[in-house]
Amino acid sequence: MADAPWRILALVPLGEDLVRPMFADLDVEVGFPETRDRDGMQAALAEAELVIGDFTGTLRLDAAAVGAAPSLAFVQMPQVGVDSCDLPALSAAGVPVANTAGANARAVAEWALGAALTLCRRLAWGDRRMRSGEWPQSELLARGTREIHTLRVGILGFGAIGSEVARLFAALGCDVSYWSRRRRPDAAATYRRELDDLLSSSDILIIALPRTAETAGLLGPEHLALLPPGALLINGARGGIVPEDAVLQALDHGRLGGAALDVFEPEPPATGHALRSHENVLLSPHVAGATAQAQLNIVTLVMSNIRAAIEGAPVVNVVNGLDPVIRRR
């Protein structure tokens, strides 16, 4: 068994012609579910040792899936989020789970900066009216435009993405603060505030938190009410951290002057969802981290970790605290 090829199960929704060549130089067998549904995944998990997870979240590695994988030794998620993995179940089974932390940090940070600039200058609002034949110069100015360097920026979460967001906004002259559940020693140049203090002093609030049991629904109406009137909300992290009905309520009551949302719960939002027609909302379809460079970074990290797992070297970015040296079961 020790000399047999490692069995990789790829749950990513990519063609076999794209995935197989990535591992052509390794002594591995690469498999795929026969059908992209729960039954297909469960059947394929029976022989899997190394799993590359599904970044869409369709094929979730919950407790039942873990129970169907007696040989599972390692899960590599091709993204930062691991909310589609049952970490307690995987940890109990002795299966390390790794993500690709940092691979798309610059991409998400640039999206957040672009979204903030768009909201500050009402660019999307003006573009829509210009395309309909209007010349809304006075109307756009009446809606209020702001220079970003005059605004206070608060960041929720200070991992790889949050720290890169801080660096970009600070370079434009913004006063930047952050909140995270623990103080970050690498954030010496950025002031840490308690959550309520951060909210009350943020003209632009940027969500850079993972979706966990602790952060789901973190910012409800009571917390959003602490923001300065006309504040801007930017979420390129995960849906559900800020409930969408709370966002709409804050927009309609003037607490929020605008919101830029790349993530939703569920995804995609319904065709007739009120966010789709709200004048002060900028929407994008969960692509904040999806640049060509970020995708190359993710592929490189996934391949490097799979190689390390096979060769007995420590993998990186293990999120559930287990030994990073992968051993066959």
Side-chain angles (χ1 to χ4, degrees), residues 13-37:
L14 302 174
E16 295 188 26
D17 57 329
L18 294 176
V19 177
R20 289 191 185 281
M22 296 180 188
F23 306 103
D25 63 332
L26 297 177
D27 185 22
V28 297
E29 296 176 358
V30 183
F32 303 81
E34 288 192 12
T35 55
R36 280 194 58 78
D37 54 25

Side-chain angles (χ1 to χ4, degrees), residues 244 247-248 251 261 264 269 272-278 281 283:
E244 288 156 16
V247 174
L248 285 165
L251 286 164
L261 306 175
F264 309 89
H273 198 292
L275 286 171
R276 290 185 181 267
S277 58
H278 203 291
V281 175
L283 303 174

Side-chain angles (χ1 to χ4, degrees), residues 7 9 11 51 62 73 88 104 114 145 155 163 177 186 200 209 211 230 273 292 301 329:
R7 299 186 299 273
L9 173 62
L11 299 180
V51 167
D62 56 16
N104 65 356
T145 56
I155 305 169
S163 59
S177 303
D186 55 339
S200 64
L209 288 167
R211 168 69 185 266
H273 198 292
L301 203 158
R329 299 174 66 184

Side-chain angles (χ1 to χ4, degrees), residues 208-261:
L209 288 167
R211 168 69 185 266
T212 67
E214 291 76 23
T215 62
L218 177 65
L219 296 185
E222 299 83 2
H223 274 126
L224 293 182
L226 297 175
L227 292 166
L232 305 176
L233 172 70
I234 297 173
N235 188 3
R238 277 293 183 271
I241 296 174
V242 191
E244 288 156 16
D245 56 351
V247 174
L248 285 165
Q249 180 182 337
L251 286 164
D252 292 339
H253 291 173
R255 179 59 60 184
L256 286 178
L261 306 175

Side-chain angles (χ1 to χ4, degrees), residues 75-133:
V75 173
Q76 173 67 59
M77 291 302 296
Q79 60 184 19
V80 177
V82 294
D83 41 305
S84 63
C85 296
D86 187 328
L87 293 184
L90 287 158
S91 297
V95 179
V97 180
N99 67 1
T100 57
N104 65 356
R106 178 70 185 214
V108 177
E110 288 191 3
W111 176 88
L113 177 58
L117 291 167
T118 299
L119 291 175
C120 282
R121 299 300 298 271
R122 310 283 184 180
L123 297 181
W125 187 92
D127 176 76
R128 288 193 296 270
R129 275 146 189 80
M130 287 289 291
R131 291 175 184 274
S132 68

Side-chain angles (χ1 to χ4, degrees), residues 113-172:
L113 177 58
L117 291 167
T118 299
L119 291 175
C120 282
R121 299 300 298 271
R122 310 283 184 180
L123 297 181
W125 187 92
D127 176 76
R128 288 193 296 270
R129 275 146 189 80
M130 287 289 291
R131 291 175 184 274
S132 68
E134 301 178 38
W135 181 253
Q137 187 180 69
S138 58
E139 294 91 335
L140 190 150
L141 296 176
R143 293 180 71 85
T145 56
R146 293 178 275 185
E147 294 183 18
I148 202 166
H149 68 96
T150 67
L151 303 179
R152 299 166 296 174
V153 175
I155 305 169
L156 288 189
F158 211 79
I161 292 172
S163 59
E164 186 66 11
V165 168
R167 194 181 70 81
L168 293 185
F169 279 84
L172 293 180

